[in-house]
């Protein structure tokens, strides 16, 4: 059966099992009341949950037996008549008997959903014999202390985490194995089926994130290292990409911030073929939203040196010093666009962050890094490479150049960027002109703020495309090289006019 058809059957069967679960839960409750002489009618059937758990194991066929056993095990868990750690381990080990990838995935998904619905029940005191009393060979995971005192309440959380991590590991192995159990000609079909089944594996991560007593220390020392090891070791791009996104989206923002260095290190160890730009965008978008919620959150992001860590790891990923991802220049620019948006939102006062991103972009677009199909030589008589007009690269560069301008609506801030102009030279002159107009338009209503010839000179370098005759901006006289630009912020001080009028804005001798 295809995963879609199997899922339809799975929903129908589990719906019936829920009804059966309610029935046996009521029967077990009547049994407990009967043992306590709580006035139960003698005509009402009574069951021992331990007997039900043992009888379910006599079912002939493996798959029905395990589904029944998990259903009864859920009731057994909530009845608090046996140590939950024993029940969880017993069920997890018996599910290892199903090694068919698709059947095993659905079975273990049902196991995780059933066992973790009443997660707090794991910390209830035990009121009856252990499962190990009825099943020889079942090892006690967390026995009482030597003085006879009951286990620590925190052990319930540890048992839950241990169960989910083991279940996640087994499910991921089954999921990855699906890719290798098909002929080469059906590879694309199998990849599509695997993507549909990824949600089942992600259930374990969402359940881990829902455990109330998990702390950032517990997450960083136990949960994330276990997840990271399994993701890296599976060497499967589909699984790695999906599971990395699950980690980013499922756990609280504080946990991602606390482990950002480890997470980026893990990203550098992933397999070729992973869509790194999607993972980085997911990380930066999540942290940007977190920083924007409050000033306190923004301070926490800066205190964690988040941008510095991204600045450290992204070049390693993009340059392939850790592993060769085969990223195109377009992929790199999309990654740096995500980093730029994060810097603008989380570090609004740190101008060097924006300029650092521009430096990465200029390096990625350096001569020789572009494919022939992406290059269009300029017609200005130079050998400067520019990207092809109306290409995705051009669109990305324009976004990179304009996004900070719409946030920092004052001219003195863009003038602090040393890599903005080199990046703008990578697009065609007519497009550069539109970007220069955006620069002036976005600061149109800002009070005067330029007070030195050096600033004005750099500004004219930024907007030089507006005053180049070859772009069609000729003055009234064909041979007149003097072009005058008037803008309210250029010369607030009258004494500066004489000096500024002599500023050279190009080799042709044009002056403002």
């Amino acid at each position: 059966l295809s995963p879609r058809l199997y899922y339809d059957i799975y929903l129908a069967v589990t719906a019936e099992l829920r009804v059966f679960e309610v029935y046996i839960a009521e029967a077990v409750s009547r049994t407990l009341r009967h043992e306590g002489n709580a006035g139960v009618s003698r005509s009402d059937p009574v069951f021992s949950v331990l007997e039900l758990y043992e009888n379910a194991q006599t079912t002939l066929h493996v798959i029905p037996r395990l589904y029944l056993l998990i259903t009864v095990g859920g009731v057994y868990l909530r009845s608090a008549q046996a140590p939950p750690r024993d029940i969880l381990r017993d069920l997890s080990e018996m599910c290892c008997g199903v090694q068919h990838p698709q059947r095993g995935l659905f079975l273990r998904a049902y196991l995780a959903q059933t066992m973790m619905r009443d997660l707090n029940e794991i910390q209830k005191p035990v009121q009856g014999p252990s499962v190990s009393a009825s099943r020889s060979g079942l090892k006690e995971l967390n026995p009482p202390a030597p003085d006879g005192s009951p286990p620590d309440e925190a052990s319930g959380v540890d048992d839950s985490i241990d169960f989910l991590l083991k279940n996640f590991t087994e499910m991921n192995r089954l999921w990855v194995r699906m890719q290798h159990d098909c002929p080469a000609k059906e590879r694309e079909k199998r990849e599509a089926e695997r993507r549909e089944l990824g949600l089942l594996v992600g259930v374990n991560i969402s359940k881990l994130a829902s455990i109330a007593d998990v702390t950032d220390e517990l997450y960083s020392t136990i949960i994330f290292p276990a997840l990271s090891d399994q993701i890296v070791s599976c060497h499967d791009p589909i699984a790695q990409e999906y599971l990395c996104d699950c980690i980013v989206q499922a756990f609280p923002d504080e946990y991602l911030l606390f482990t950002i260095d480890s997470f980026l290190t893990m990203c550098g160890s992933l397999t070729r073929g992973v869509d790194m730009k999607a993972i980085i965008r997911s990380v930066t978008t999540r942290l940007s939203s977190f920083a924007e919620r409050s000033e306190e959150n923004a301070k926490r992001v800066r205190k964690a040196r988040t941008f510095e860590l991204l600045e450290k790891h992204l070049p390693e990923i993009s340059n392939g010093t850790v592993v060769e991802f085969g990223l195109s220049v377009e992929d790199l620019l999309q990654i740096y666009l995500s980093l730029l948006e994060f810097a603008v939102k989380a570090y609004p006062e740190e101008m060097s962050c924006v300029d650092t991103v521009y430096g990465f972009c200029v390096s990625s677009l350096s001569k020789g890094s572009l494919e022939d199909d992406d290059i269009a030589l300029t017609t200005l008589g130079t050998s400067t490479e520019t990207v092809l007009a109306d290409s995705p690269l051009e669109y990305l560069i324009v976004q990179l150049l304009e996004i900070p301008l719409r946030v920092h609506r004052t001219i003195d801030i863009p003038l602090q960027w040393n890599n903005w102009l080199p990046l703008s030279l990578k697009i065609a002159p007519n497009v550069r002109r539109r970007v220069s107009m955006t620069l002036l338009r976005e600061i149109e209503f800002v009070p005067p703020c330029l007070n030195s010839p050096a600033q004005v000179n750099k500004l004219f370098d930024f907007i030089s495309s507006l005053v180049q005759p070859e772009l069609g901006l000729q003055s009234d006289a064909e041979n007149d090289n003097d072009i005058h630009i008037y803008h309210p912020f250029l010369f607030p001080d009258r004494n500066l006019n004489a000096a500024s009028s002599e500023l050279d804005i190009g080799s042709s001798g044009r002056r403002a």
Side-chain angles (χ1 to χ4, degrees), residues 85-98:
R85 70 191 70 85
D86 289 352
I87 300 174
L88 294 176
R89 177 171 179 171
D90 194 36
L91 292 173
S92 181
E93 289 181 348
M94 284 191 284
C95 286
C96 291
V98 180

Side-chain angles (χ1 to χ4, degrees), residues 177-406:
R177 209 177 75 199
M178 289 184 67
Q179 190 65 43
H180 307 289
D181 290 346
C182 70
K185 63 181 180 180
E186 297 182 2
R187 186 178 185 85
E188 292 185 2
K189 178 182 177 182
R190 181 56 58 89
E191 288 181 354
E193 292 176 348
R194 286 191 59 215
R195 293 183 188 278
E196 293 178 352
L197 294 173
L199 183 63
L200 299 177
V201 185
V203 166
N204 297 279
I205 296 179
S206 64
K207 295 296 183 183
L208 282 167
S210 66
I211 300 178
D213 294 327
V214 172
T215 62
D216 53 1
E217 181 179 359
L218 192 60
Y219 173 75
S220 62
T221 58
I222 297 179
I223 296 178
F224 179 78
L227 295 177
S228 176
D229 289 345
Q230 178 59 32
I231 291 173
V232 172
S233 63
C234 72
H235 301 293
D236 181 80
I238 294 177
Q240 290 178 338
E241 181 180 332
Y242 174 75
L243 296 175
C244 283
D245 187 64
C246 284
I247 291 177
V248 173
Q249 302 298 335
F251 290 98
D253 300 320
E254 294 83 355
Y255 293 2
L256 176 61
L257 190 63
F258 199 69
T259 57
I260 185 64
D261 191 17
S262 301
F263 184 86
L264 294 173
T265 300
M266 176 190 70
C267 290
S269 303
L270 300 183
T271 305
R272 180 185 177 92
V274 175
D275 188 0
M276 289 303 305
K277 62 181 182 295
I279 297 175
I280 300 301
R281 173 167 288 277
S282 180
V283 171
T284 55
T285 301
R286 189 77 189 266
L287 293 179
S288 297
S289 301
F290 176 72
E292 285 185 306
R293 292 193 197 114
S294 68
E295 181 60 29
E296 181 182 356
N297 289 350
K299 290 180 180 179
R300 295 178 65 179
V301 171
R302 293 191 286 270
K303 184 178 180 181
R305 300 177 60 252
T306 307
F307 183 85
E308 289 81 355
L309 292 172
L310 288 165
E311 179 185 357
K312 169 188 173 184
H313 287 284
L314 289 188
E316 294 178 351
I317 294 173
S318 61
N319 294 332
T321 57
V322 178
V323 67
E324 178 60 46
F325 288 105
L327 296 174
S328 65
V329 176
E330 183 179 344
D331 292 335
L332 294 179
L333 290 189
Q334 289 180 343
I335 290 175
Y336 293 139
L337 179 61
S338 302
L339 181 60
L340 178 71
E341 292 172 340
F342 169 72
V344 168
K345 294 177 181 178
Y347 293 78
E349 307 300 328
E350 299 286 342
M351 297 303 102
S352 61
C353 295
V354 175
D355 199 45
T356 298
V357 179
Y358 286 149
F360 288 156
C361 297
V362 172
S363 177
S364 299
L365 291 165
S366 60
K367 189 173 183 179
S369 64
L370 296 175
E371 300 291 340
D372 292 340
D373 294 340
D374 295 326
I375 298 175
L377 293 181
T378 63
T379 58
L380 301 179
T382 67
S383 60
T384 304
E385 282 184 347
T386 62
V387 300
L388 198 64
D390 299 324
S391 65
L393 284 179
E394 182 184 76
Y395 176 72
L396 286 170
I397 294 175
V398 171
Q399 279 188 297
L400 285 160
L401 293 170
E402 291 186 347
I403 285 177
L405 299 179
R406 295 190 173 96

Side-chain angles (χ1 to χ4, degrees), residues 427-448:
I427 54 179
N430 61 322
V431 181
R432 199 183 316 144
R433 179 190 172 196
R434 293 201 302 268
V435 175
S436 299
M437 292 175 65
T438 300
L439 170 65
L440 297 178
R441 188 182 301 114
E442 292 298 331
I443 56 179
E444 182 177 2
F445 302 106
V446 177

